[in-house]
């Protein structure tokens, strides 16, 4: 260990920590609004990364067809839920969102795969596909269970994770993939070398944090999400559609996950199940932040990334163990600080 190696490890840790920060913020957002511990967040990372890699290599991703199928199911659920007050306007809106939009994205994906579209087009299509999957996932799996306990929502989340991971294996196969870099430029600062991809990671992370701050502080939908997170029943009494808040939360989480995957896939080879482990590290940051604090989650994510980088240098075989061990003192301190609550007797 010397100064140069230490700087390289810190740089690598900050790069990884920026990705974990994005995922941690998405997990905190979803849990605060819907009480769902979003275990499939890692699958959003995988789907975004491998969809982008498939489109860039001229292959048609199965996720585009999945979005159409999920949209059809969501459309049927919307018709069933509103069967007593169906109107032409309501049916038309549901048809446009659930059927027309994913079909248009599928057609554009077919065209992009056949004509080797530019990187920007492939990124936009990948984000649109994963965003649609995230939106329909909430409508199909979680919105009908919105008023159940956290345990039931957790069980549903585990089921969605297993299903999406299996579909990932079906769509992308067991072989890993890499995508083209978003920026190919690079420069050096002293002994450190910054690639265009790492700079993109930093810039996107900072932009998302600022964007989320502006969204929650100055927009009507952002304030509605905050109200739903503070008091779900009170938000409903004030006229806020909590189902729409959940859809927006899942939409943001899926977009954040897809962007994280697109930022990672040019740096390292990703497999259909890689996103789960990446999502777990974002979950550690969210737990350290108490699943409520966005700034603390972002700081904790950087700590997780730096600890992982130094662990890979000193004990690479145990780096995952060391990273997950960070949870033990945090949970211990939180359990000691929490007030004692008597268990309910049956």
């Amino acid at each position: 260990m010397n100064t140069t190696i230490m700087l390289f490890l810190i740089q690598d840790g900050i790069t990884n920590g920026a990705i974990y920060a994005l995922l941690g913020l998405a997990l905190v957002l979803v849990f605060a609004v819907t009480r769902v511990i979003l275990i499939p967040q890692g699958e959003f990372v995988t789907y975004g990364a491998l969809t982008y890699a498939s489109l860039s290599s001229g292959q048609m991703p199965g996720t585009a067809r999945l979005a159409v199928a999920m949209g059809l199911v969501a459309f049927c659920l919307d018709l069933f839920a509103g069967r007593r007050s169906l109107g032409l306007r309501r049916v038309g809106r549901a048809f446009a969102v659930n059927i027309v939009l994913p079909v248009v994205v599928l057609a554009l994906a077919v065209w992009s795969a056949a004509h080797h579209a530019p990187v920007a087009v492939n990124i936009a299509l990948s984000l649109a596909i994963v965003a649609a999957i995230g939106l329909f996932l909430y409508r199909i799996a979680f919105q009908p269970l919105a008023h159940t306990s956290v345990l039931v929502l957790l069980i549903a989340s585990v089921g969605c994770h297993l299903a999406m991971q299996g579909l990932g294996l079906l769509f992308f196969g067991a072989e890993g993939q890499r995508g083209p870099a978003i920026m190919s430029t690079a420069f050096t600062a002293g002994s450190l070398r910054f690639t265009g991809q790492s700079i993109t990671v930093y810039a996107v992370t900072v932009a998302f944090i600022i964007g989320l701050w502006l969204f929650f502080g100055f927009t009507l939908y952002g304030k509605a999400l905050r109200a739903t997170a503070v008091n779900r029943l009170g938000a409903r009494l004030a006229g806020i559609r909590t189902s729409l808040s959940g859809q927006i939360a899942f939409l943001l989480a899926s977009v954040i996950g897809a962007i994280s995957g697109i930022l990672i896939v040019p740096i390292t080879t990703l497999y259909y199940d890689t996103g789960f482990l990446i999502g777990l590290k974002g979950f550690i940051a969210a737990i350290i932040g108490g699943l409520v604090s966005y700034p603390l989650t972002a700081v904790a994510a950087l700590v997780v990334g730096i600890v992982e980088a130094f662990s890979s240098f000193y004990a690479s075989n145990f780096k995952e163990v060391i990273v997950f061990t960070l949870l033990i003192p945090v949970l211990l301190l939180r359990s000691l600080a929490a007030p004692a609550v008597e268990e309910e007797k049956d």
Side-chain angles (χ1 to χ4, degrees), residues 178-259:
R178 278 201 178 194
I182 299 175
M183 291 179 58
S184 57
T185 59
F187 68 92
T188 58
S191 58
L192 296 179
R193 184 175 185 272
F194 294 90
T195 64
Q197 194 65 28
S198 63
I199 296 172
T200 304
V201 171
Y202 305 147
V204 169
T205 302
V206 173
F208 249 99
I209 292 174
I210 296 175
L212 288 175
W213 174 69
L214 294 174
F215 174 74
F216 285 116
F218 299 97
T219 66
L220 183 62
Y221 286 109
K223 293 178 181 179
L225 286 179
R226 290 172 58 192
T228 306
V230 173
N231 189 327
R232 189 178 184 87
L233 178 59
R236 291 182 63 189
L237 294 176
I240 297 174
R241 294 173 53 192
T242 54
S243 60
L244 179 60
S245 299
Q247 292 172 8
I248 294 174
F250 266 71
L251 182 66
L252 289 174
S254 60
V255 170
I256 291 173
I259 288 177

Side-chain angles (χ1 to χ4, degrees), residues 75 79 82 85-98:
F75 178 68
L79 292 183
S85 59
L86 283 179
L88 184 61
R89 182 177 179 181
R90 183 170 184 175
V91 173
R93 182 175 58 189
F95 183 79
V97 173
N98 298 321

Side-chain angles (χ1 to χ4, degrees), residues 115-127:
H115 294 82
H116 294 279
V119 169
V121 175
N122 291 333
I123 292 176
L125 285 175
S126 301
L127 293 179

Side-chain angles (χ1 to χ4, degrees), residues 15-319:
T15 303
N16 294 334
I19 299 296
Y20 302 152
L22 288 176
L23 299 179
L25 293 176
L27 289 168
V28 172
L29 168 64
V30 170
F31 182 79
V33 176
T34 65
R35 301 178 300 126
V36 174
I37 298 176
L38 191 58
I39 297 178
Q41 182 67 42
E43 274 60 54
F44 292 145
V45 175
T46 302
Y47 280 18
L50 298 184
T51 298
Y52 169 64
S54 298
L55 289 173
S56 299
S57 61
Q59 300 175 2
M60 178 61 195
T63 47
R65 299 186 182 92
L66 175 64
V68 173
M70 294 179 70
L72 180 60
V73 175
F75 178 68
C76 294
L77 288 176
D78 284 343
L79 292 183
F80 180 78
R83 62 191 181 278
R84 296 180 180 178
S85 59
L86 283 179
L88 184 61
R89 182 177 179 181
R90 183 170 184 175
V91 173
R93 182 175 58 189
F95 183 79
V97 173
N98 298 321
I99 303 297
V100 175
L101 183 60
V103 168
V104 170
V105 173
L106 174 63
L108 292 175
V110 172
W111 174 85
S112 175
H115 294 82
H116 294 279
V119 169
V121 175
N122 291 333
I123 292 176
L125 285 175
S126 301
L127 293 179
I129 291 170
V130 179
I133 292 175
L135 178 63
F136 297 145
L137 180 68
Y138 177 77
R139 179 64 188 89
I140 296 170
F142 295 103
Q143 187 171 319
L145 305 174
H147 302 291
T148 58
S149 65
V150 175
L151 178 60
V152 174
L153 294 172
L154 177 61
I155 294 172
S157 185
V158 172
C160 291
H161 154 67
L162 295 175
M164 292 179 68
Q165 191 174 81
L167 289 172
L169 176 60
L170 175 65
F171 295 150
F172 304 110
E175 295 80 14
Q177 297 187 49
R178 278 201 178 194
I182 299 175
M183 291 179 58
S184 57
T185 59
F187 68 92
T188 58
S191 58
L192 296 179
R193 184 175 185 272
F194 294 90
T195 64
Q197 194 65 28
S198 63
I199 296 172
T200 304
V201 171
Y202 305 147
V204 169
T205 302
V206 173
F208 249 99
I209 292 174
I210 296 175
L212 288 175
W213 174 69
L214 294 174
F215 174 74
F216 285 116
F218 299 97
T219 66
L220 183 62
Y221 286 109
K223 293 178 181 179
L225 286 179
R226 290 172 58 192
T228 306
V230 173
N231 189 327
R232 189 178 184 87
L233 178 59
R236 291 182 63 189
L237 294 176
I240 297 174
R241 294 173 53 192
T242 54
S243 60
L244 179 60
S245 299
Q247 292 172 8
I248 294 174
F250 266 71
L251 182 66
L252 289 174
S254 60
V255 170
I256 291 173
I259 288 177
S260 301
I262 293 171
L263 293 175
I264 294 172
V265 75
I267 301 174
T268 182
T269 302
L270 290 187
Y271 300 83
Y272 74 96
D273 58 347
T274 306
F276 177 63
L277 191 59
I278 299 173
L280 278 181
K281 293 171 184 175
F283 178 70
I284 293 174
I287 289 295
I288 295 175
L291 286 172
V292 292
S293 174
Y294 295 101
L296 186 56
T297 298
V299 173
L302 294 178
V303 173
V304 169
I306 292 174
V307 169
E308 181 186 24
F310 279 88
S311 300
S312 64
F313 179 79
Y314 284 108
S316 59
N317 292 333
F318 302 98
K319 68 173 184 177

